[in-house]
Each structure stands twice: as C-alpha cells, then as structure tokens.
Amino acid sequence: MSVSVTALTPTFGAEIMGVDLTRPLDAGIGDLIVDAMDRYAVTVIRGVTVSQDDQIAFAKNFGPLDAINGVLQTDIKRRVSTELVDISNMDEDSNILELDDRRRLFNLGNRLWHTDSSFKRIAAKYSMLHAHAVPPIAGETQVCDLRAAYDDLPAYMKGQIEDLVAVHSIFTSRALLGFDNFSQEEHHLLPPIRRPMVRVHPGSGRKTLYLASHIGRILDRPVAEGRLLVRDLIEHATQPQYIYTHHWRIGDTLIWDNRCTMHRAMPFDESRFKRDMRRATVMETDAAPVDDQAAVATA
Ligand code: OGA
Ligand code: MN
C-alpha cells in the first residue's frame, strides 16, 4: 500500500495514510514521516488499534523512548508497559479513577498548554498518542503551532525574547492547579531545567517559540515580569488560528513535535466515560538544557 500525506493546512497538521503500525516500517517510510512532521508538526495516522508492543516498536524507529515516564514513583500497579505513558482516567483494573485519586489529579495538569518533558534533562521530541477508548463526546486534544505564532510576533517582541532562558519544572505546572502533593524524592529527581524561549526547529530551520505551563520564571528577570511574559506569549500562541483540534476515534495515533508545538487535553465527562490513551515518547537526545550547551559545543 502506498503512503500519502494530506495536509490539513499548508504548514500545520496533516493526515498520513497507508502506514501499517503493526508491521516493521519499510525503508523510506520513516523518512517520509519525519519529513511530514518537519513540515506539519502534527500528524495523525488513523487506523486500527495497535498493541502496546507494536506502538513501542513503531516509535523506536524515530529514536530512543523516554524510559522514566511520568513522575509518580509510587508502588501503584501499572496499567500499561513501562515504555509507554498512561494517559487515561482508569486504574489497573480498568475502573474509572476516583475524583481524588492522585493519578487523576496529577493528570489534570495535561489540561494546561504544555510541551512534553521540557522539565526533564532530555525533553521529548515526538509524542505518539494512541487511542484505545474514547468518550463519545468531547475529550479532544488541541495542538498549537509555535512556529507560526513566533512568525507573527511584532519585531520588538522578537527582539526582546531572542536570548531569554526559561526555567521549566513539573512542579510549577502542577502548582498552578494547587497540586503540590510530591515527595522529596520526586523533587530530587526532577530539578528545574533551563531552556531557551526561542529556538531554531532542527527539522525545518524555522524559528519557534518554546513554551509550556512548566515555566516558572525567566532567568535574570523579576519573577512577576517573567510570568507575565509567559502568560502573554501563551495567550498569543493559542489563538484559534494556531490551533488544530483532534477529534478522537479509536485507533488514531496523533503525533506531535514537542520542539515547535504545545498541546492540551480538553475536558469530558470523566465520571461516565473511559478515555484510554497511551503515549510513546521519543526523546530529543540531541538538545541539551542551557547549562550543558557549552559541554555540547565542545563535545
Ligand atoms: C500527553 C497529553 C493530552 C490528551 O499525552 O502528553 O498531554 O488529550 N495528552 O490526553
Ligand atoms: Mn502532554
């Protein structure tokens, strides 16, 4: 079967057809997917539900996966493979999580605009979210285009933010929702990480904002000023013209490039419906946090 790419807009969002996620990728198809990702930043492969092993094998064509998934180092039994992130409202027995379950409260952070794992030393490159169960209404995923949002900024703003460095932490985004139930060990595992606010997207050479609700401050700026700037930029970048909204069907795989997009989960009736998504996360192994850039440059 031949593979084709249908653009949803000229520069953002595409559907890739003809890829069988249950079989090893033919030579050339991986490159074609990377090209589509570089150009459109978010793509969807619709099809049939794939097993965890198939999802993991497919994702590994694009690089190593993030093995330390989530931050919840608890003794709770996992529902999905350790190589995937459990993006669901279900427990290990497939029951809907209680309203006050720690996993649910933690996952509510996904409703804030963010990019995956910017708070880890090695951030996420591609996130590949696969749907096993979807609510009959709502529960969409939205993805926004940070390259177009950058392009449209006024020149004075581009100048102001060019060299800024932001400090990312998972505890910042969770604290925004009043969730601060983290252990010392979790704090120790995930110290704040510095990243540029503006970067060149490696696959396209285009400049992009790099934003997330994980940002708590801007280096060398008063905290309040940094936070206001981040709020303003997120508000700008999440205007309707920059957003793709994915309406889920079972068997969809949505792939977004975390280096030039943000995304968020939309609400649904969690008390009635199960939403079972599993994420394979390809790491961005070739970009270091700001502290390490000198080390990379001389390596
Ligand atoms: C994620 C995420 C959003 C959603 O998988 O990283 O933020 O709609 N998901 O579930
Ligand atoms: Mn996410």
Side-chain angles (χ1 to χ4, degrees), residues 70-222:
V71 290
L72 301 175
Q73 310 289 319
T74 63
D75 51 7
I76 289 171
K77 254 177 74 190
R78 286 186 64 88
R79 202 179 62 87
V80 307
S81 158
T82 51
E83 292 191 274
L84 298 176
V85 186
D86 188 356
I87 305 287
S88 76
N89 62 335
M90 296 153 65
D91 68 16
E92 62 277 15
D93 299 319
S94 290
N95 296 316
I96 292 179
L97 293 172
E98 298 291 335
L99 281 186
D100 59 354
D101 189 288
R102 185 172 188 256
R103 287 165 287 184
R104 173 175 183 271
L105 297 176
F106 177 80
N107 287 338
L108 283 178
N110 285 340
R111 300 257 298 274
L112 304 174
W113 285 105
H114 65 284
T115 188
D116 289 331
S117 303
S118 62
F119 52 86
K120 294 185 180 176
R121 287 201 79 69
I122 304 181
K125 179 179 180 180
Y126 296 152
S127 290
M128 302 178 163
L129 191 59
H130 184 72
H132 290 266
V134 301
I137 48 166
E140 302 87 352
T141 300
Q142 291 193 318
V143 186
C144 77
D145 182 351
L146 293 179
R147 292 181 298 191
Y150 176 82
D151 290 344
D152 292 347
L153 285 174
Y156 85 88
M157 180 59 84
K158 286 181 179 162
Q160 273 184 15
I161 64 175
E162 176 71 22
D163 296 317
L164 293 185
V165 172
V167 182
H168 295 244
S169 166
I170 184 71
F171 309 114
T172 300
S173 54
R174 273 31 186 189
L176 284 174
L177 299 181
F179 182 92
D180 55 6
N181 175 10
F182 290 103
S183 65
Q184 278 308 318
E185 190 195 353
E186 285 167 331
H187 275 281
H188 183 73
L189 275 170
L190 291 162
I193 298 286
R194 301 169 180 196
R195 299 201 181 274
M197 291 256 286
V198 177
R199 53 183 300 199
V200 174
H201 176 254
S204 62
R206 292 178 62 191
K207 273 195 168 179
T208 182
L209 291 165
Y210 190 66
L211 293 172
S213 301
H214 308 310
I215 300 175
R217 66 192 179 92
I218 307 288
L219 280 194
D220 304 324
R221 290 282 187 280

Side-chain angles (χ1 to χ4, degrees), residues 24-37:
L25 269 194
D26 288 341
I29 306 289
D31 291 343
L32 189 146
I33 294 172
V34 170
D35 285 350
M37 288 300 298

Side-chain angles (χ1 to χ4, degrees), residues 39-83:
R39 178 154 177 186
Y40 300 110
V42 54
T43 63
V44 59
I45 298 172
R46 297 188 186 268
V48 291
T49 307
V50 296
S51 69
Q52 304 198 72
D53 288 346
D54 286 341
Q55 187 182 1
I56 292 165
F58 173 76
K60 282 184 175 170
N61 287 297
F62 303 92
L65 304 191
D66 191 349
I68 317 163
N69 283 317
V71 290
L72 301 175
Q73 310 289 319
T74 63
D75 51 7
I76 289 171
K77 254 177 74 190
R78 286 186 64 88
R79 202 179 62 87
V80 307
S81 158
T82 51
E83 292 191 274

